[in-house]
């Protein structure tokens, strides 16, 4: 490694790690920045993998070089000595750091499938292995009715596959999407010919001559040529745990992304942080926008920034020709208000016990829900407690609700 002054080192070259590296330069850090990423490919965006399957680079080599970021692809960080401030790479190199950012993301959970071939989708390599098998007429079974499984179901249906989605819970997207918004997407899937089976678990997977036989809890079977498990992701915390850093379903950080070890920060899908907008409740997000924002905010914190990170959680998912967006934390709501727009699109607002807007969600064709969710996002950030009648009334522009004094 050129130079000897301790560098700022980032482990993980996904959305968060890359954004952090560039943000360090934007914030004026002129020392070394070293970015070690386990994957061999140039940094790429994950969201297209379940939608179009394309490889969309986050940045090119030229911009990394121009920003003087030392990028080490195919390089896994294998050990961490927090006392000596040294990150050990799998190839034996040892990097002394001034500050270390763990941006190690998450990995796909796997089903115990025995010998039956079951795909997951987290990396470009996963995507390549899967996409080649999604040919017209193939029977595709998606286990898990969450975002990634459903996005994949929609792209497989568009490619002419016969798709079945098997979901253990009583409905789709039960974790983060309100029931009536999830129902809009479920209807869209059914209209596109996707066979949705909720409230049933998989009890067996057996490889057959032509594919896989899936046995469901009630005894029914589903025959599939291709099986994909979309059963969530687990935070990648191996390095932190081995180094004795506090981990609790994510690397535990404060509102400045600082871990329990001095000089070590963590951000993106791998971290769990107390959210100031939700009474400091610990949250772990799996969201593209959050990963970007975390990267930029963690870079500021590494350089001594004092502002706590309090951005409103937000994510989107595209399924068929519909887009769904959620702002805030839906499970923080104890009450709901629904606005039915003249075009039939419903905007769901979640209120807490004090009437404060804590979440909003909607699904509709194209980009039709983006503006309303953006305005709701701004209301959530302001800790507004809007008049529920105004929220429900499609004749009252949300912009005017935003202009109302905070708290009413
Ligand atoms: C298929 C798919 C579709 C998605 N679609 C959407 C969407 O529509 N909307 C949305 O809001 N979000 C979406 N997401 C979520 C979003 O992509 C993630 O939240 C985001 O990528 C998280 O970024 P990250 O940098 O924290 O982690 P990651 O993107 O997981 O990157 C972490 C990187 O760190 C590397 N790494 C791990 N351990 C080590 C180590 N020890 N040493 C070195 N490198 C290491 C990993 O190999 C990986 O490259 C999607 C995710 C997937 C998988």
């Amino acid at each position: 490694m050129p130079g000897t002054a301790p560098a700022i080192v980032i482990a993980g070259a996904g959305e968060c790690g890359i954004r952090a590296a560039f943000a360090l330069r934007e914030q004026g850090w002129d020392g070394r920045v070293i970015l070690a990423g386990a994957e061999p490919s140039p940094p790429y965006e994950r969201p297209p993998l379940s939608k179009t399957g394309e490889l969309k680079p986050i940045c090119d080599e030229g911009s990394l070089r121009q920003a003087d970021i030392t990028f080490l692809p195919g390089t896994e960080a294998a050990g961490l000595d927090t006392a000596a401030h040294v990150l050990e790479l799998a190839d034996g190199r040892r990097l002394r750091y001034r500050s270390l950012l763990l941006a190690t993301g998450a990995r796909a959970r796997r089903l115990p499938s025995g010998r039956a071939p079951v795909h997951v989708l987290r990396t470009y390599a996963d995507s390549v292995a899967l996409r080649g098998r999604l040919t017209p007429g193939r029977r595709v079974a998606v286990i898990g009715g969450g975002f990634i499984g459903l996005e994949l179901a929609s792209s497989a249906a568009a490619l002419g596959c016969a798709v079945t989605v098997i979901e253990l819970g009583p409905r789709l997207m039960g974790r983060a999407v309100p029931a009536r918004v999830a129902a809009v997407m479920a209807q869209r899937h059914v209209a596109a010919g996707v066979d949705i089976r909720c409230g049933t678990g998989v009890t067996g997977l057996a490889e057959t001559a032509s594919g896989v036989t899936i046995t469901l809890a009630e005894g029914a079977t589903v025959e599939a040529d291709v099986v994909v498990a979309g059963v969530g992701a687990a935070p990648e915390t191996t390095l932190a745990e081995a180094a004795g850093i506090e981990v609790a379903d994510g690397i535990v950080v404060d509102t400045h992304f600082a871990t329990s070890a001095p000089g070590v920060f963590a951000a993106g899908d791998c971290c769990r942080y107390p959210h100031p907008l939700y009474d400091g409740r610990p949250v772990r997000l799996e969201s593209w926008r959050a990963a970007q924002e975390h990267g930029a905010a963690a870079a500021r914190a590494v350089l001594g920034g004092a502002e706590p990170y309090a951005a409103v959680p937000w994510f989107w998912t595209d399924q068929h020709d519909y887009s769904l967006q959620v702002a805030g934390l839906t499970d923080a709501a104890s009450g709901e208000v629904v606005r039915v727009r003249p075009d039939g699109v419903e905007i769901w607002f979640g209120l807490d016990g004090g009437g404060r807007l804590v979440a909003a969600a909607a699904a509709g064709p194209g980009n039709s829900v983006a503006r309303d969710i953006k305005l709701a996002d701004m209301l959530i950030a302001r800790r507004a407690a809007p008049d529920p009648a105004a929220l429900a009334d499609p004749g009252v522009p949300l912009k005017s609700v935003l202009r109302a004094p905070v708290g009413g």
Side-chain angles (χ1 to χ4, degrees):
M1 264 331 115
T4 51
I8 296 179
V9 175
I10 301 170
E15 199 69 52
C16 178
I18 291 287
R19 186 80 282 277
F22 282 102
L24 286 167
R25 291 292 182 234
E26 288 154 20
Q27 296 292 316
W29 168 253
D30 60 5
R32 288 188 302 152
V33 176
I34 302 173
L35 179 62
E39 290 182 74
S41 45
Y44 63 92
E45 307 231 1
R46 286 183 209 285
L49 299 181
S50 47
K51 299 172 182 73
T52 58
E54 69 175 313
L55 181 66
K56 188 174 172 203
I58 298 175
C59 61
D60 58 22
E61 277 179 32
S63 48
L64 285 162
R65 218 176 309 113
Q66 213 177 349
D68 196 17
I69 294 164
T70 305
F71 174 46
L72 309 174
T75 304
E76 192 180 340
L80 171 56
D81 181 340
T82 57
H85 279 220
V86 168
L87 184 73
E88 295 155 13
L89 304 181
D91 61 14
R93 280 180 288 180
R94 293 165 59 82
L95 302 179
R96 250 178 84 223
Y97 60 79
R98 162 205 187 268
S99 312
L100 169 68
L101 174 64
L102 299 173
T104 48
R107 60 188 134 80
R109 288 187 208 276
R110 288 177 187 270
L111 287 175
S113 60
R115 283 167 46 90
V118 175
H119 290 265
V120 293
L121 183 55
R122 179 77 199 179
T123 64
Y124 182 61
D126 295 336
S127 176
V128 169
L130 176 60
R131 286 273 157 183
R133 305 201 59 212
L134 302 181
T135 49
R138 280 252 165 94
R139 298 162 302 172
V140 176
V142 177
I143 303 174
F147 310 115
I148 290 175
L150 291 171
E151 289 190 351
L152 199 69
S154 96
S155 35
L159 290 167
C161 301
V163 186
T164 305
V165 174
I166 302 159
E167 165 57 43
L168 182 62
R171 65 174 178 85
L172 301 179
M173 297 180 283
R175 209 154 49 101
V177 176
R180 60 192 301 153
V181 180
V184 174
M185 277 307 203
Q187 278 165 20
R188 186 65 197 87
H189 279 282
V190 171
V194 176
D195 180 3
I196 304 272
R197 312 239 189 130
C198 289
T200 186
V202 171
T203 55
L205 289 157
E207 192 172 17
T208 63
S210 63
V212 176
T213 299
I214 303 170
T215 307
L216 304 181
E218 75 270 15
T221 55
V222 174
E223 301 294 332
D225 303 306
V226 183
V227 182
V228 191
V231 292
E236 181 47 77
T237 58
T238 317
L239 200 55
E241 258 173 284
I245 292 172
E246 191 185 351
V247 167
D249 183 29
I251 304 168
V252 175
V253 296
D254 63 15
T255 50
H256 299 87
F257 299 99
T259 71
S260 59
V264 181
F265 298 76
D269 280 16
C270 70
C271 82
R272 176 174 291 275
Y273 66 103
H275 205 300
L277 279 175
Y278 297 92
D279 301 325
R281 170 182 152 185
V283 297
R284 191 176 74 75
L285 305 175
E286 288 168 17
S287 141
W288 176 83
R289 185 172 91 177
Q292 277 203 336
E293 289 176 350
H294 284 193
R300 288 195 292 274
V302 163
L303 298 177
E307 202 184 325
Y309 176 75
V312 175
W314 175 90
F315 73 83
W316 95 100
T317 169
D318 295 333
Q319 297 165 30
H320 306 286
D321 50 354
Y322 272 43
S323 185
L324 184 160
Q325 294 194 11
V326 178
L329 300 178
T330 55
D331 63 356
S334 53
E336 63 178 24
V337 172
V338 176
R339 163 181 292 228
V340 184
R341 296 193 323 209
D343 61 0
V345 169
E346 294 185 354
I347 311 292
W348 176 95
F349 299 100
L351 307 172
D352 71 6
R356 185 160 76 85
L357 184 67
V358 289
N367 207 23
S368 59
V369 304
R371 191 166 179 275
D372 283 344
I373 297 300
K374 172 85 197 142
L375 291 164
D377 189 312
M378 292 160 85
L379 284 164
I380 296 167
R382 288 181 57 182
R383 300 171 191 264
D387 175 10
L391 282 182
D393 184 352
V396 178
L398 280 181
K399 232 180 169 169
S400 71
V401 179
L402 193 61
R403 279 196 294 266
V406 175

